[in-house]
Amino acid sequence: MPVDRTLDLHGCSLDAAWEAIDRALERGIAAGDRVILLITGHARAGEPPVQRGKIRAAVHDWLAVSPHADRIAAVRTAHKRHGGGGSLYIILRRG
């Protein structure tokens, strides 16, 4: 599936990231997008997985409680060409 919208969260605070995700979902749904590429960044080398970025750690919880949660069909790790483990696909349900 082609990516319809990309959101890069590098450099965002937790609050800014949550607001950006909510806006991207709202705009994507309104535009009829099917796939949003969410770039969170990779875990830092040498850190255990539980110490990955705060945004990456919170994304699944945020999406579960999002006002748009009912429009999200799936969340998957992105293909290597789209950042692999540092990115996610948010698959939206068809309207």
Side-chain angles (χ1 to χ4, degrees), residues 14 23 30 43 54 56 61 83 89:
L14 284 171
R23 268 193 320 272
K54 291 178 183 179
R56 175 69 177 201
D61 291 337
Y89 296 126

Side-chain angles (χ1 to χ4, degrees), residues 40-60:
T40 61
H42 289 279
R44 290 190 176 106
E47 293 183 13
V50 294
Q51 293 299 315
R52 66 186 189 261
K54 291 178 183 179
I55 292 171
R56 175 69 177 201
V59 165
H60 289 282

